[in-house]
Every structure is written in structure tokens, then in C-alpha cells.
């Protein structure tokens, strides 16, 4: 997924190739030049020694080629990249930026730019990219952004934005990447998410309510982690056939996990930890039996269902997952032999099963696990194989559950 997003950005941020005839027309449009000078006056340098705006000189014969971060097309500013990682900026964005009517990409490097996001940006209807992450913008997301029908990427993450997500934002016809993570956004998600999104990142906000029933099937990356979302997972997730990364962790979702999620042909990262999920795990299809899709496994695959109330016996549905976290649930019975073989062979590097109700694991005496393996079975209804365990510090010091807890659990389970 990271490679895909990188390719998107490379394609979008590659300046257009100018012909020699275009290069001869070197004088910048006066309206654009005035807008740039207004932007320069509204932003300040943070670095005491180096200056991003050192090349923004009024006497420059050709601002299109000499101004840092400025790319022109037919003497109009088409791409504006303000600041760099080593030359961050402070100040605010002025409303006069709306004079750059040919602008297609606006990129602001991480810094401490404050104030509200100018709603006048909505007048720049040719914008395809707005990227303003890791600054200190406040206020709301302008609802006027609904006029940006060519917008492909919007990244306002890691700011201090408040209010709700404008419903019209998720209806933009060209929007593929929407990143609003790490703000203070509140309210329900828009009920209609009709934009053809590939990447939707809303983690670490204060969003509430259930999942919307309409989620674009084109999604490959979807994160709602660390919000206040609630309700079942049955809404909207069934249609996400292209999903590669799903993170709904640290919310208040309830009920069973839809079986379809375990059989996505593309899904390699599934994070559902720290919710109130319950129910059992589906069985892995036997050889020759039809399956809904391929099971996610292999290098880099990760599944975290920890800190829920998942119950029943552990099926082999996760056999081959590289990092598997099922700790702090209500799983019982014996650990299937397939998981032991996966850890022993090195295909599974992390297997956390602590704080459940397992009664055994088929480990032969003297078995030596790979140095890269992390296996934890502490605090179950069994005597764990201490010599091969490698538990995290938060697993606690107690190796087994008290017998009373195990018998009570079995009685409750059988009833």
C-alpha cells in the first residue's frame, strides 16, 4: 500500500514538461506574483540561519524558474510547495492565495502555520492536491471545498481542526486520497461516501456513531482507529473487495466480526484490537472446499484482535500470518498444531495468546524455536512452556490462571 501511495504522489508532483517556446515566455502573471508576495509576507521563517524565501526576490527576472517551490505553466503558477522538512514555516495562509487561479497543487511542509484554512481555496477549482499536514491549523474544514470537483488528494492530518466532516467532501467525484487523521473532528461520518476513494485515514479524532452503510468498494486503506465509533461491523464492510489495510482499533464496536473479513484476497493488515467484539472465529476451508477468497498471510501480514471478548476454540484461519495478536480474549481449548509449525518454521514470527483460557499446546519437550520468534501463552488454563516463551512486559508475571477462573469459565461456556 505504501508503494501505491508513493507512486500516486510521484505522478501528481511531477512538474509538466515545458517546451522551449513556453520557456521563452518567462514573465510571471502579475496577479500571481502579487499573490506570492502576499503569501511570503504572511509566512515567517523558523530557521535562524537558512531561508526558504531567499530566492523570492522582486528583482528576479524570471520568478517561475528562480522562486523556490514554484512551478509554472504558461507563466501561471501551477504548483506551489511552501517550506521543506529542513526549512519549516510559521505564520498563516492569506486569502489572497485565491488569486492563483491556475494552481493544481498546494503543498505545505510540516511547520507551525496557524489560523484557519482559507475557504477561498475553494475558488481554485483546478486544484488536484491540497496537502497541509503537521501544522497547527484550527477551525473547521471549509464546506466550500465542495466546489473542488478536480480534487484528487486532500491531506489535513496532524492539525487542530474541529467540527464535523462536511458531507459534501466525501461526494467529490475525483477524490482518491483523504487524510484527516490526528485532529479533533467530531460527529458522525457522512452517511454517503460516494467519492471513489482508495485511501481514507480518519484515525485519532473524536468521531462517533456507527459505520456508514455506504463505503466505496474501491478502498484499499481504511483507518478509523482511536475514535469513539460504536455499533456492529456489519455496516458497509462486506463490499470492500479491494481492501489491503483495515484499522478500526480502539473504538467501541460490538458484536461478531464479519466472516468475509477473514477471506479477503488482498487484505494483509487487520487491526480490530481494543473494542467490544464478541463471537467466534470462522473455520479455515478444507482443501478442495470453495472459499470466499484467499486467506491473508505471508511477509508483513499482521492481525490484531487483542483485548476483545472473542470466544470459542481457535480455528486455523490465521495459520501463516506473520504477526498474530489474539491475547486478552476468551478463547479456549487447545492451540492447533498448525500454529506451532508456523512459528517453528519462521513463517509466524509473533504469536501472542496470553490472557485467554487455552488448555494446551502441542509442543514436544526440547523444541527449540527460532531466535526471531515471539511466543506468549502465559495466564491461560495450562502450564505454559516457559523455555520457549518470549512474552511482552505487560503480559504479567503469573504463568497460569487460577483454577477457579478456568472452572467458572467452562461452566459459563457450557451453559
Amino acid at each position: 500500500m505504501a508503494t501505491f501511495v508513493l507512486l500516486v504522489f510521484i505522478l501528481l508532483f511531477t512538474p509538466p514538461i515545458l517546451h522551449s517556446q513556453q520557456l521563452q515566455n518567462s514573465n510571471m502573471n502579475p496577479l500571481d506574483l502579487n499573490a506570492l508576495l502576499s503569501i511570503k509576507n504572511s509566512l515567517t521563517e523558523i530557521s535562524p540561519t537558512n531561508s526558504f524565501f531567499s530566492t523570492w526576490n522582486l528583482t528576479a527576472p524570471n520568478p517561475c524558474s528562480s522562486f523556490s517551490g514554484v512551478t509554472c505553466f504558461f507563466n501561471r503558477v501551477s504548483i506551489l510547495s511552501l517550506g521543506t522538512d529542513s526549512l519549516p514555516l510559521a505564520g498563516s495562509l492569506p486569502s489572497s492565495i485565491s488569486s492563483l487561479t491556475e494552481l493544481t497543487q498546494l503543498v505545505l511542509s510540516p511547520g507551525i502555520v496557524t489560523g484557519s484554512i482559507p475557504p477561498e481555496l475553494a475558488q481554485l477549482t483546478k486544484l488536484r492536491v491540497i496537502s497541509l499536514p503537521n501544522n497547527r491549523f484550527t477551525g473547521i474544514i471549509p464546506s466550500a471545498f465542495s466546489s473542488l470537483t478536480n480534487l484528487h488528494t486532500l491531506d489535513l492530518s496532524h492539525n487542530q481542526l474541529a467540527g464535523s466532516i462536511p458531507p459534501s467532501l466525501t461526494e467529490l467525484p475525483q477524490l482518491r486520497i483523504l487524510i484527516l487523521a490526528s485532529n479533533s473532528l467530531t460527529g458522525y461520518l457522512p452517511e454517503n461516501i460516494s467519492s471513489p476513494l482508495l485511501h481514507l485515514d480518519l484515525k485519532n479524532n473524536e468521531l462517533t456513531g456507527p459505520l456508514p452503510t455506504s463505503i466505496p468498494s474501491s478502498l484499499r486503506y481504511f483507518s478509523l482507529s482511536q475514535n469513539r465509533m460504536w455499533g456492529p461491523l456489519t455496516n458497509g464492510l462486506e463490499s470492500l473487495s479491494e481492501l489491503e489495510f483495515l484499522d478500526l482499533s480502539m473504538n467501541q464496536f460490538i458484536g461478531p466480526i464479519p466472516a468475509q473479513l477473514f477471506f479477503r484476497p488482498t487484505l494483509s493488515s487487520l487491526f480490530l484490537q481494543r473494542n467490544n467484539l464478541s463471537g467466534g472465529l470462522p473455520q479455515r476451508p478444507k482443501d478442495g472446499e470453495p472459499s470466499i477468497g484467499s486467506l491473508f498471510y505471508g511477509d508483513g501480514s499482521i492481525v490484531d484482535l487483542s483485548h476483545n471478548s472473542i470466544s470459542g476454540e481457535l480455528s486455523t484461519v490465521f495459520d501463516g500470518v506473520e504477526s498474530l495478536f489474539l491475547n486478552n480474549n476468551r478463547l479456549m481449548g487447545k492451540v492447533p498444531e498448525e500454529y506451532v509449525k508456523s512459528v517453528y518454521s519462521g513463517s509466524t514470527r509473533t504469536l501472542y495468546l496470553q490472557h485467554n483460557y487455552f488448555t494446551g499446546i502441542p509442543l514436544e519437550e526440547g523444541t527449540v524455536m527460532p531466535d526471531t520468534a515471539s511466543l506468549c501463552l502465559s495466564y491461560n488454563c495450562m502450564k505454559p512452556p516457559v523455555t520457549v516463551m518470549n512474552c511482552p512486559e505487560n503480559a504479567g508475571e503469573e504463568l497460569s490462571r487460577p483454577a477457579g477462573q478456568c472452572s467458572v469459565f467452562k461452566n459459563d461456556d457450557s451453559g
Side-chain angles (χ1 to χ4, degrees), residues 258-412:
Q260 294 92 330
L261 283 182
F262 299 119
F263 301 97
R264 286 283 177 243
T266 55
L267 189 63
S268 61
S269 299
L270 176 62
F271 299 91
L272 300 177
Q273 71 270 23
R274 295 186 184 275
N275 279 284
N276 298 312
L277 300 171
S278 57
L281 299 172
Q283 294 295 320
R284 187 187 189 106
K286 296 179 181 179
D287 292 340
E289 290 184 355
S291 63
I292 304 172
S294 301
L295 300 172
F296 48 106
Y297 58 86
D299 292 345
S301 59
I302 181 170
V303 174
D304 193 341
L305 308 183
S306 64
H307 295 273
N308 280 288
S309 297
I310 299 169
S311 58
E313 295 190 353
L314 174 58
S315 71
T316 59
V317 69
F318 300 126
D319 178 28
V321 173
E322 185 174 289
S323 299
L324 179 58
F325 303 89
L326 298 175
N327 51 288
N328 296 82
N329 277 287
R330 294 166 60 89
L331 294 167
M332 57 181 294
K334 291 187 177 182
V335 178
E337 184 180 7
E338 286 84 348
Y339 290 102
V340 177
K341 291 180 178 178
S342 290
V343 175
Y344 185 75
S345 67
S347 59
T348 295
R349 296 191 175 188
T350 302
L351 180 59
Y352 281 180
L353 302 175
Q354 68 270 21
H355 287 257
N356 278 285
Y357 294 83
F358 290 113
T359 54
I361 183 169
L363 263 177
E364 295 182 7
E365 188 175 347
T367 299
V368 178
M369 292 296 181
D371 293 338
T372 56
S374 293
L375 172 65
C376 188
L377 283 156
S378 62
Y379 212 67
N380 277 283
C381 298
M382 57 182 283
K383 183 179 179 181
V386 179
T387 56
V388 297
M389 287 205 312
N390 184 7
C391 291
E393 291 185 6
N394 61 7
E397 297 180 358
E398 295 184 70
L399 294 178
S400 302
R401 282 187 180 274
Q405 288 189 13
C406 294
S407 60
V408 169
F409 182 82
K410 290 177 182 177
N411 290 338
D412 288 346

